[in-house]
Amino acid sequence: MIVAEPKPLDAIRQMIAPYSKVLIVGCGTCVTVCGAGGEREVSFLHDKLRLAQAKNPDSIHNYFEYTVKRQCDPEFIDLLDAKTEGVDAIISLACGIGVQAIAEHFPDIPVLPGVNTTFNGMASEYGVWDERCATCGDCCLDETGGICPITRCTKGILNGPCAGPKNGKCEVSKDMDCAWMLIYQRLERLGQMDKMRRYYPARNYQAVPRPRRIVVKSNVAAGEENA
Amino acid sequence: MPNSLFEEKLDSGKFILTTEIGPPKGCDITEMIHHIDILRDKVDAINVTDHQSSVLRYPSLGGCLVVKEHGGEPILQMTCRDRNRLALQADLMFACQRGVHNVLTLTGDSIEVGDHKEAKPVFDIDSVQLIKLIRTLESGFDMGGNEITGVPSFCIGSTVHPEADFIEPQLVKFDKKVSAGAQFFQTQGIFDLSKLRMFVQYASQFPVKILAGIIVLSSARMAKYMNANVPGIMVPQNLIDELAAVEKGKGLAKGKEIAARTIKTIEEEKLCHGVHLMAVGNEGIVPEIIEMARSVSVKA
């Protein structure tokens, strides 16, 4: 899932300074799970902004809130049409995809990011999310014991560890496992040391010309309108 | 025919001495030239570091040209941290065309340990791929498969970490570097000769030259700092204690003594094909350490 972190309140207040009527829009998927931008966080932000305003009555805003199921799908964004009348700006608490999807839908309303979209990751324990996929477009996890060196090695190198790790930890942080130590141990456990010894050629960055697009209409169930 | 004077010396079987200089942060190269002048006749080659510890400096390639201009034999340190494959190939062509034929290939420290923490880390390729890249250029083609005119030639080195606490993956990487075409290795700092002995025994199956990396310690504090902050460095407690036992201000003298003693042992035991002396900011003391290594009796 996509993991995001709330922007500091001051940063949000600076962004909304020029606008009077502000709609805060949450997203019901990834950012709800990671506690950055779901219905609950929309409500918290709403309260914090009103509290800040009470302490500093110089800048007056009117706040409204609404949370859609997914900000990255036009079907759900359509539901915002009725909520945006007279709105001067929208704060989106979705990932950067949601922010842009809403901006495309409402070309005349400024859309402001309320979170920093951080990475694609998983919950490794309660309240802890770890990055796992760099969306490189050329997955090599079969070769590396199911551990991604592109994401989990700070240098993203493909032919084994650098000279930096100490006690199995990365030179960048004593709290971060060296991906290549993990890969080595895993491949050894799987009896696949040949994969550790194999030479991996340089990455093909043609797999990641930005922005990327994939078209797979046949794999997606058509809705009534599209059928 | 050897690709360089250094390669010729490597192949001669003599005990090799290399050292390194860190270029200045800025355009005043007076001190660097001074270091080159006092070092060039004492060592077989001088490495010029490539933004060591990810701290911005005058470029390695520029430093190598200065070494050449002042009569020294340069080894171009080249990391994968700051340049993509186009920039690396271009610099290699330039190096060769200007007579710099020794390259030390390195991954490069993380951007996060340096002084430009907000910079974009490149790492388009890694050190093994860089060795392959150089051999590809030597075959007359660039990495895109296009023919090049004026084929370069290099003596290629790389690094290895015999004191890594988890040695096996490092040895796998060493094997890959050898297969890719590395001819010589300058090791990370060696403090524990028993680990060097084990590594050298392993490495003896390959037709490559091993130069043991010797870091000159200047105090117990410096040793502890390096243990905590410099990637890959592990100074053992007995050396820290030895440095801590001397009176204040005598740390560097003790550090020089330790370095000279280590070099002497390596040479007398024929442990390696040579040593690579890293004085980390104290380049001026290298000739003295070499003299000491020639005169000290091996003890401890």
Side-chain angles (χ1 to χ4, degrees):
Chain A
M1 60 177 252
I2 296 171
V3 180
E5 294 176 297
K7 275 187 178 286
L9 187 64
D10 283 348
I12 293 176
R13 292 191 71 212
Q14 269 182 21
M15 282 192 288
I16 62 168
Y19 309 112
S20 172
K21 189 173 175 183
V22 177
L23 175 65
I24 308 166
V25 182
C27 181
T29 45
C30 307
V31 288
T32 295
V33 180
C34 69
E39 194 167 12
R40 182 167 155 268
E41 291 72 35
V42 167
S43 166
F44 285 171
L45 178 62
H46 189 166
D47 288 347
K48 282 195 240 173
L49 286 168
R50 286 175 61 159
L51 200 60
Q53 183 167 300
K55 286 182 183 168
N56 180 12
D58 292 344
S59 70
I60 301 295
H61 309 274
N62 289 314
Y63 301 106
F64 303 86
E65 60 178 83
Y66 191 69
T67 296
V68 297
K69 188 149 183 123
R70 276 204 303 274
Q71 288 191 24
C72 52
D73 270 333
E75 296 89 317
F76 297 107
I77 299 177
D78 288 345
L79 300 172
L80 286 173
D81 290 348
K83 308 281 178 186
T84 50
E85 199 172 326
V87 161
D88 297 310
I90 296 171
I91 304 173
S92 164
L93 295 197
C95 67
I97 305 165
V99 176
Q100 294 183 69
I102 291 186
E104 279 181 35
H105 191 88
F106 298 107
D108 299 319
I109 305 175
V111 181
L112 317 169
V115 302
N116 290 321
T117 309
T118 320
F119 54 75
N120 294 326
M122 63 171 214
S124 48
E125 59 183 279
Y126 178 73
V128 178
W129 279 268
D130 280 318
E131 185 173 16
R132 286 294 180 268
C133 179
T135 66
C136 73
D138 190 14
C139 194
C140 65
L141 284 167
D142 56 320
E143 302 281 359
T144 56
I147 295 160
C148 177
I150 290 163
T151 313
R152 298 181 69 180
C153 165
T154 190
K155 299 170 186 174
I157 52 177
L158 293 179
N159 280 292
C162 68
K166 286 180 188 170
N167 302 317
K169 302 294 180 184
C170 177
E171 68 183 31
V172 167
S173 164
K174 293 179 180 68
D175 301 322
M176 197 158 78
D177 290 323
C178 165
W180 275 104
M181 297 299 159
L182 298 178
I183 292 168
Y184 182 91
Q185 287 165 333
R186 173 91 169 165
L187 289 175
E188 192 175 40
R189 188 172 174 162
L190 295 173
Q192 298 181 353
M193 285 310 288
D194 55 317
K195 291 184 173 174
M196 185 77 198
R197 293 182 208 288
R198 190 177 302 161
Y199 169 74
Y200 291 100
R203 272 180 69 188
N204 172 10
Y205 282 91
Q206 268 199 314
V208 281
R210 289 204 162 109
R212 289 172 271 179
R213 164 175 280 184
I214 48 174
V215 182
V216 279
K217 287 188 177 166
S218 60
N219 292 347
V220 182
E224 276 175 33
E225 284 179 29
N226 299 332
Chain B
M1 206 181 113
N3 290 311
S4 69
L5 189 62
F6 176 64
E7 188 178 279
E8 193 177 344
K9 285 185 176 177
L10 272 180
D11 293 339
S12 73
K14 76 174 274 262
F15 190 73
I16 296 290
L17 266 175
T18 59
T19 189
E20 66 187 35
I21 51 172
K25 197 175 189 71
C27 308
D28 180 359
I29 58 169
T30 319
E31 197 186 5
M32 182 169 77
I33 291 171
H34 168 67
H35 288 147
I36 295 165
D37 285 341
I38 60 169
L39 291 169
R40 64 164 184 248
D41 298 326
K42 308 280 183 191
V43 295
D44 298 302
I46 302 172
N47 289 35
V48 185
T49 56
D50 182 11
H51 311 302
Q52 195 168 28
S53 298
S54 307
V55 171
L56 173 74
R57 299 294 185 116
Y58 184 91
S60 171
L61 184 47
C64 284
L65 297 181
V66 179
V67 171
K68 270 200 85 70
E69 284 162 13
H70 288 78
E73 174 76 358
I75 297 177
L76 173 68
Q77 291 202 184
M78 193 170 236
T79 73
C80 302
R81 178 192 53 232
D82 310 312
R83 285 162 288 186
N84 71 4
R85 60 192 85 179
L86 276 81
L88 289 166
Q89 290 176 102
D91 279 0
L92 285 161
M93 289 176 190
F94 183 56
C96 180
Q97 183 262 326
R98 294 293 292 271
V100 177
H101 291 280
N102 308 305
V103 190
L104 188 82
T105 57
L106 304 128
T107 304
D109 290 329
S110 297
I111 285 285
E112 288 91 330
V113 305
D115 70 347
H116 283 63
K117 296 186 195 304
E118 296 187 356
K120 181 177 185 180
V122 179
F123 300 111
D124 180 23
I125 59 172
D126 63 30
S127 53
V128 183
Q129 293 157 352
L130 177 57
I131 298 168
K132 281 257 190 196
L133 178 161
I134 299 170
R135 291 298 182 221
T136 304
L137 284 178
E138 287 178 334
S139 74
F141 294 90
D142 68 15
M143 219 176 151
N146 311 293
E147 208 167 330
I148 57 174
T149 55
V151 177
S153 60
F154 288 101
C155 173
I156 305 178
S158 195
T159 55
V160 63
H161 191 11
E163 293 196 0
D165 49 13
F166 189 8
I167 189 73
E168 290 83 359
Q170 299 289 343
L171 295 181
V172 171
K173 186 139 188 189
F174 171 77
D175 295 1
K176 285 194 188 189
K177 286 176 171 181
V178 175
S179 301
Q183 296 160 262
F184 72 95
F185 286 83
Q186 292 172 327
T187 76
Q188 303 284 335
I190 295 292
F191 301 101
D192 181 347
L193 288 179
S194 63
K195 287 184 180 160
L196 180 65
R197 282 188 194 97
M198 274 156 53
F199 167 70
V200 168
Q201 199 175 10
Y202 174 81
S204 63
Q205 63 183 302
F206 302 103
V208 293
K209 307 290 180 188
I210 309 293
L211 312 182
I214 308 293
I215 295 176
V216 186
L217 301 167
S218 58
S219 65
R221 212 173 120 237
M222 176 217 188
K224 286 183 202 159
Y225 175 85
M226 292 207 310
N227 277 354
N229 298 295
V230 181
I233 304 284
M234 283 175 251
V235 185
Q237 192 58 41
N238 67 315
L239 286 187
I240 296 176
D241 293 343
E242 193 178 342
L243 285 160
V246 299
E247 57 185 280
K248 211 169 174 219
K250 297 278 174 62
L252 183 58
K254 176 53 83 177
K256 288 194 279 188
E257 184 193 315
I258 295 170
R261 184 176 80 201
T262 312
I263 295 169
K264 181 91 173 171
T265 310
I266 290 170
E267 184 168 9
E268 287 193 346
E269 284 189 30
K270 295 193 171 59
L271 258 179
C272 294
H273 304 97
V275 292
H276 175 65
L277 203 47
M278 294 172 270
V280 206
N282 279 320
E283 287 93 337
I285 63 171
V286 168
E288 200 186 335
I289 294 171
I290 295 169
E291 282 308 309
M292 285 168 73
R294 288 192 177 127
S295 58
V296 290
S297 60
V298 178
K299 58 184 175 188

